[in-house]
Amino acid sequence: MKIPHDSAHTHVSGTSEYIDDRAAHFDEVFIGVVFSTEPHAKILSIDSSKLEKHPDFITLFTYKDLSHNKWGSIFQDQPLIAEEIVQFVGEPVVLIASRDRFSVEALKKLVTIKYQPLKPILSIDDAIKANSYIGDERTIQSGDCEAALQKCDHLISGSVVIRGADHFYLESQAAVAYPLEDNQIEIHSSSQHSVEVQHIVAHALGLDSKDVVCIVKRIGGAFGGKESQAAPFAAFASLVAHKLKRPARLILTKDDDMIMTGKRNPFQNEYVAGFNRDGKIVALKVKLRSDGGAYADLSTAIMERAMLHCDNAYFIPNMLIQGRVCKTHFHPHTAFRGFGGPQAVATIEKIIEQIAKHLDKDPLEIRKTNVYQGNNNVTHYGQPVENNVLPELFDKLETDSDYWNRRKIIKAHNSNRKWNEPLLGLSLTAVKFGISFTTRFLNQGNALVLIHRDGTVQVSTGATEMGQGVNTRIAQLVSEALGISILNTRVMPTRTDKNANTSPTAASAGTDLNGSAAVIATNKIKFRLAQVARNLFVTDPALYASKTGGLGTQAEVEVTELPHQTNPNKEVDTFGIEFKNGKVTDSKTKKSISFESLINEAYLNRVSLSDYGFYRVADLGFNKLTGKGQAFLYFTNGTAVNEVSVSPINGEVKILRTDILMDLGRPINKGLDLGQVTGGFIQGAGWVTTENLYYDSKGKLLSHSPSTYKIPNIQDTPREFNVNLLENLGNDKNVRGTKAVGEPPLLLSIGVWTAVNDAISHLPEYEKKYPSIQLPATAEVCLRAIQPDLFKTVGANK
């Protein structure tokens, strides 16, 4: 049965409710954020005298109105509102409360802030020169890299520049806060982490967590951009609501959102690789440097994941990975789909291509020589690669995509093309993406399952629905466990008063954690229901509680509780009672009762029809100090073949064909998973080809709207797009044998970038060297690589 996204019908009918769809109260206040126009400066004065004359102005707020002004998901180093110094263009300085939402922009312009500029750091290179860092340098190593490099047949070295990217979610940062009695606050936030919002709001206002409830119904896209950075805006709305005792709404415009919020971390990576004549990589040394922006946010955790993914799909016996986050004066960069993994995988995939160029071999040969296989199955941080289907993924896609025949055709085209005909490129890349938070305590989830007397079910978890379908998957898991239709199960909005101390919906682990907890809670109820059913099937129906409960003439059914359960895949003893198709049946006697009737009988016997489930990921043991151990529960794997054309006239890149083969274990919902694969890949394709962030000399983002920031449109998608899933029944690590799909497919888009490099490498000037195309490979970047002399001439004419 094909089960659609639970909100598909409300999306297409326009009835899905997002934050700003909530009806405004008659006394609601609308908030504007006045932010810094300087990247690094001392605040000399704030003049708000012109505001007093505007009829819609109510009041303004600064950091002095907060009880606690520091926040941060890892280090509490960032002020919610700037105090004496601003450290990036877009840093909040003043909040304005308006009676009318349409006056907010005008009111913001009436505030004059004078600054004393300080010297900003606006590049990774400048940060290195100034010794400006966030956190210490981290090292993860295996073997003796330096010694191994000395013994290799060949050495290559190089660097790769990887730019950032904007999340470009459709719903901007948004929050509405309602003051309740006795100093309580109810905050509706477009956030991936309801609990972090609750905690930061409580700290900012000087309240206890018990007095703050955060509710997340759905999010209009996030991609990591609302994992941490939604919380300050929720705090702003809550501050105004708390102080004025009126509902308060803060909805950023797209322009302000893009200027104020952090992006995917830019990286500059240097490497030295040693390999043998057959292309086997013996040693790899990589130095990763990222731009964290002005404050820590999640950048140190992002760097750690990058360090853990420098191997990608390849076994390298000797590795030395060093990583450090640079502190600059840009908006603090943050989580983005892949969370450091893409920047590391881009580096090793470029290295593979460069080795192939050096040895005059096809890159696919080098990849298959180095892929994890056989006894070569332990990562540089000491985790075995279990359930390894990477060789199978390579072999199957190599055949299914007709790789070698297409390679011949492309080579012939590039050799015989006219000067104005496009260059063609082909690349088959892989992904091995670790699934789990690398911060161990985040790998937990809880769920509350309620069964009502009509047999319908409500499920509450800490997962936030941002379009990825986590609610649908959780509803399927619960419905299947109870043997009822998914139409009888609803996953409720995320609330911190139902599910406390939850982790963010991130790291592709939303279903893993929350779905597992929901199954555990459901199994506890199911265990009790099976006992009730077993009793009913040996009881005269005339003596059921539904017939006698009001009279109290019969003894109640006594049930025992399910022993503590931690594994959602462990079969629950139901005493031969089967739950299927809305009926509950004794497998021996074939006696049955409808699920709804069983629920009613259980209620009348005072048997609990609700329960709480808690899940913690087992067997994690990564030591952050030594850089060794079990960092992930399992790996999601995939391969992709990308064929591109690059115009020598204007540098335009077109994706001609993409073939993807993913290992997603045993999918809960194949339709949703295919949607995630295609969507993730296309989003990544935008990052590697068109999405370039342009800043002025003061660090202000210039490309802060759809007119200046180029996300993929229909013309940027592959002309031919084939996506298939590999059947993999061997994964038993996760709930129902499924594998996470949120982030891994995006990394397969790196093959578009390597295919661009492959196309350009066919030019005569790259006969003996590999082109060093930065990421993204925009039309301008490609044209500069194809016709460098033209740009010298243009520059001279200026």
Side-chain angles (χ1 to χ4, degrees):
M1 177 182 176
K2 293 182 178 179
I3 297 176
H5 190 290
D6 69 323
S7 296
H9 62 293
T10 57
H11 288 344
V12 298
S13 63
T15 57
S16 294
E17 182 185 273
Y18 294 89
I19 298 295
D20 205 24
D21 293 322
R22 299 183 64 80
H25 287 218
F26 72 94
D27 59 344
E28 193 157 290
V29 177
F30 302 90
I31 304 168
V33 183
V34 181
F35 53 74
S36 169
T37 56
E38 295 288 330
H40 191 202
K42 182 177 181 180
I43 299 173
L44 297 179
S45 64
I46 300 174
D47 182 1
S48 59
S49 57
K50 295 180 181 178
L51 279 172
E52 308 294 339
K53 302 174 184 178
H54 199 289
D56 290 330
F57 172 67
I58 300 173
T59 189
L60 61 77
F61 299 89
T62 67
Y63 75 92
K64 296 177 182 178
D65 296 291
L66 293 164
S67 293
H68 184 80
N69 192 36
K70 286 291 178 70
W71 77 283
S73 298
I74 300 175
F75 311 116
Q76 288 203 353
D77 65 334
Q78 183 171 351
L80 289 164
I81 302 176
E83 298 183 6
E84 298 177 356
I85 302 288
V86 293
Q87 296 206 54
F88 65 95
V89 174
E91 183 164 12
V93 179
V94 174
L95 306 180
I96 297 173
S98 171
R99 292 182 178 86
D100 184 82
R101 72 182 303 157
F102 300 107
S103 299
V104 168
E105 293 304 311
L107 291 174
K108 286 163 57 179
K109 295 176 182 177
L110 298 179
V111 178
T112 302
I113 305 174
K114 290 186 177 180
Y115 300 96
Q116 178 185 325
L118 303 172
K119 185 178 180 180
I121 296 172
L122 296 174
S123 71
I124 290 176
D125 290 335
D126 287 346
I128 293 171
K129 291 176 185 176
N131 200 32
S132 178
Y133 296 105
I134 298 171
D136 297 327
E137 182 170 79
R138 296 276 303 276
T139 299
I140 297 177
Q141 57 186 322
S142 61
D144 189 339
C145 186
E146 297 290 359
L149 284 171
Q150 302 301 317
K151 300 176 183 178
C152 291
D153 297 334
H154 301 276
L155 292 176
I156 60 167
S157 62
S159 62
V160 56
V161 175
I162 303 171
R163 304 295 185 191
D166 189 79
H167 304 83
F168 215 88
Y169 29 70
L170 294 181
E171 179 190 30
S172 294
Q173 299 283 359
V176 180
Y178 301 99
L180 306 179
E181 64 180 30
D182 200 21
N183 278 331
Q184 296 177 73
I185 287 286
E186 178 181 293
I187 177 76
H188 294 254
S189 174
S190 183
S191 169
Q192 294 174 242
H193 196 184
S194 57
V195 166
E196 184 171 40
V197 169
Q198 176 195 29
H199 291 171
I200 289 175
V201 167
H203 293 162
L205 273 55
L207 301 174
D208 295 329
S209 293
K210 67 178 175 58
D211 295 321
V212 179
V213 175
C214 176
I215 301 171
V216 181
K217 185 171 187 177
R218 62 167 59 86
I219 312 170
F223 312 114
K226 297 174 181 177
E227 180 176 343
S228 61
Q229 297 203 354
F233 299 105
F236 298 159
S238 299
L239 170 67
V240 175
H242 185 63
K243 293 289 187 179
L244 299 181
K245 303 302 179 187
R246 295 168 64 175
R249 183 179 304 239
L250 193 164
I251 311 293
L252 291 188
T253 64
K254 174 56 71 176
D255 296 80
D256 284 358
D257 188 300
M258 292 185 72
I259 291 170
M260 297 176 72
T261 60
K263 319 298 176 193
R264 185 186 293 281
N265 293 74
F267 271 65
Q268 287 181 198
N269 304 332
E270 299 175 355
Y271 56 84
V272 178
F275 50 97
N276 292 336
R277 295 179 182 87
D278 61 356
K280 174 62 183 172
I281 304 174
V282 177
L284 176 63
K285 182 178 180 180
V286 182
K287 181 178 287 187
L288 305 171
R289 291 293 180 266
S290 72
D291 182 343
Y295 301 104
D297 200 272
L298 293 164
S299 290
T300 54
I302 291 164
M303 175 58 74
E304 179 178 77
R305 183 170 280 267
M307 296 174 70
L308 293 170
H309 282 77
C310 280
D311 59 329
N312 192 24
Y314 313 108
F315 173 75
I316 304 170
N318 302 283
M319 293 184 70
L320 175 59
I321 313 298
Q322 297 169 306
R324 198 167 192 187
V325 179
C326 296
K327 175 179 167 60
T328 63
H329 291 104
F330 289 109
H331 27 215
H333 295 303
T334 191
F336 198 145
R337 201 172 191 171
F339 204 77
Q343 295 94 324
V345 170
T347 303
I348 183 61
E349 293 295 345
K350 181 196 173 185
I351 291 168
I352 293 277
E353 299 270 332
Q354 191 174 344
I355 291 171
K357 184 77 173 179
H358 185 89
L359 295 175
D360 194 26
K361 291 177 176 286
D362 191 281
L364 178 55
E365 296 179 61
I366 308 301
R367 289 187 169 94
K368 293 183 70 173
T369 296
N370 288 282
V371 70
Y372 280 103
Q373 55 192 307
N375 293 325
N376 294 334
N377 68 340
V378 179
T379 67
H380 56 296
Y381 46 92
Q383 176 170 344
V385 180
E386 299 176 322
N387 186 225
N388 179 21
V389 295
L390 284 164
E392 184 180 354
L393 287 166
F394 269 107
D395 291 343
K396 182 169 174 52
L397 191 60
E398 175 187 349
T399 301
D400 292 351
S401 68
D402 195 21
Y403 178 87
W404 292 108
N405 188 47
R406 291 165 63 191
R407 175 62 82 188
K408 290 178 183 177
I409 294 171
I410 288 171
K411 187 174 182 179
H413 167 87
N414 288 331
S415 299
N416 301 311
R417 72 179 185 89
K418 297 178 182 178
W419 72 271
N420 60 345
E421 291 181 331
L423 292 154
L424 300 182
L426 188 70
S427 187
L428 196 163
T429 60
V431 62
K432 173 185 67 65
F433 195 83
I435 304 298
S436 291
F437 290 96
T438 55
T439 298
R440 185 170 58 190
F441 63 77
L442 292 177
N443 294 290
Q444 58 177 296
N446 60 68
L448 177 65
V449 176
L450 312 175
I451 304 181
H452 298 282
R453 288 184 68 181
D454 63 357
T456 61
V457 183
Q458 291 178 326
V459 184
S460 298
T461 75
T464 55
E465 175 58 63
M466 60 192 90
Q468 82 280 38
V470 66
N471 284 357
T472 305
R473 291 184 178 89
I474 292 172
Q476 282 186 246
L477 289 170
V478 171
S479 300
E480 289 170 6
L482 294 174
I484 61 176
S485 168
I486 192 173
L487 299 177
N488 290 335
T489 302
R490 184 178 296 279
V491 177
M492 307 304 292
T494 306
R495 298 179 57 110
T496 56
D497 57 353
K498 285 188 177 180
N499 299 96
N501 308 314
T502 59
S503 298
T505 304
S508 302
T511 299
D512 289 16
L513 298 178
N514 298 282
S516 296
V519 169
I520 289 171
T522 303
N523 284 343
K524 292 163 74 174
I525 304 172
K526 185 177 179 180
F527 184 71
R528 294 193 291 267
L529 290 176
Q531 295 175 69
V532 174
R534 182 177 61 172
N535 182 279
L536 292 177
F537 292 147
V538 295
T539 301
D540 184 345
L543 300 179
Y544 283 7
S546 57
K547 304 293 194 303
T548 64
L551 301 174
T553 59
Q554 303 300 315
E556 293 175 314
V557 176
E558 297 293 335
V559 299
T560 59
E561 297 296 325
L562 182 70
H564 180 64
Q565 185 184 24
T566 59
N567 182 358
N569 289 328
K570 185 177 180 180
E571 291 292 331
V572 176
D573 184 5
T574 57
F575 316 102
I577 305 298
E578 297 176 344
F579 292 72
K580 191 174 182 180
N581 297 326
K583 290 188 175 295
V584 181
T585 306
D586 187 317
S587 60
K588 292 183 179 180
T589 66
K590 304 304 178 184
K591 290 183 178 179
S592 69
I593 186 174
S594 71
F595 182 78
E596 181 181 345
S597 297
L598 174 62
I599 294 302
N600 191 49
E601 297 296 339
Y603 166 77
L604 294 171
N605 276 281
R606 294 192 295 177
V607 173
S608 175
L609 296 172
S610 63
D611 222 315
Y612 169 89
F614 177 79
Y615 172 70
R616 53 178 286 186
V617 178
D619 303 324
L620 295 180
F622 180 67
N623 186 318
K624 290 178 178 285
L625 298 180
T626 63
K628 296 292 183 182
Q630 187 90 2
F632 306 109
L633 180 63
Y634 62 89
F635 298 98
T636 292
N637 308 298
T639 48
V641 178
N642 285 286
E643 182 178 342
V644 304
S645 69
V646 183
S647 169
I649 299 173
N650 61 14
E652 182 184 14
V653 174
K654 294 181 180 178
I655 307 175
L656 303 179
R657 177 176 167 182
T658 295
D659 298 82
I660 293 176
L661 182 62
M662 290 290 299
D663 156 36
L664 299 180
R666 288 171 280 181
I668 296 170
N669 188 312
K670 186 177 179 180
L672 289 178
D673 284 1
L674 290 174
Q676 287 289 288
V677 172
T678 55
F681 174 84
I682 292 169
Q683 183 177 46
W687 170 55
V688 303
T689 59
T690 65
E691 296 185 37
N692 210 10
L693 297 163
Y694 292 92
Y695 296 86
D696 67 13
S697 60
K698 295 177 68 173
K700 178 185 177 181
L701 182 67
L702 298 176
S703 50
H704 53 73
S705 71
S707 62
T708 52
Y709 186 74
K710 179 67 174 66
I711 63 171
N713 65 22
I714 191 65
Q715 295 299 323
D716 299 306
T717 60
R719 271 60 178 170
E720 181 179 345
F721 201 178
N722 305 306
V723 180
N724 289 293
L725 304 183
L726 180 76
E727 184 179 39
N728 178 6
L729 305 179
N731 175 43
D732 59 359
K733 291 283 188 178
N734 196 31
V735 59
R736 226 195 69 172
T738 186
K739 286 192 174 186
V741 66
E743 293 168 292
L746 184 141
L747 283 75
L748 292 174
S749 67
I750 290 166
V752 174
W753 175 65
T754 53
V756 170
N757 280 273
D758 178 67
I760 293 174
S761 70
H762 286 88
L763 292 170
E765 51 265 50
Y766 296 106
E767 183 177 356
K768 294 185 178 181
K769 64 177 181 179
Y770 187 75
S772 187
I773 307 297
Q774 74 166 40
L775 190 160
T778 62
E780 179 184 343
V781 167
C782 291
L783 195 58
R784 284 181 180 274
I786 294 168
Q787 301 192 49
D789 293 339
L790 173 64
F791 283 87
K792 291 178 183 177
T793 304
V794 171
N797 290 337
K798 289 182 178 178

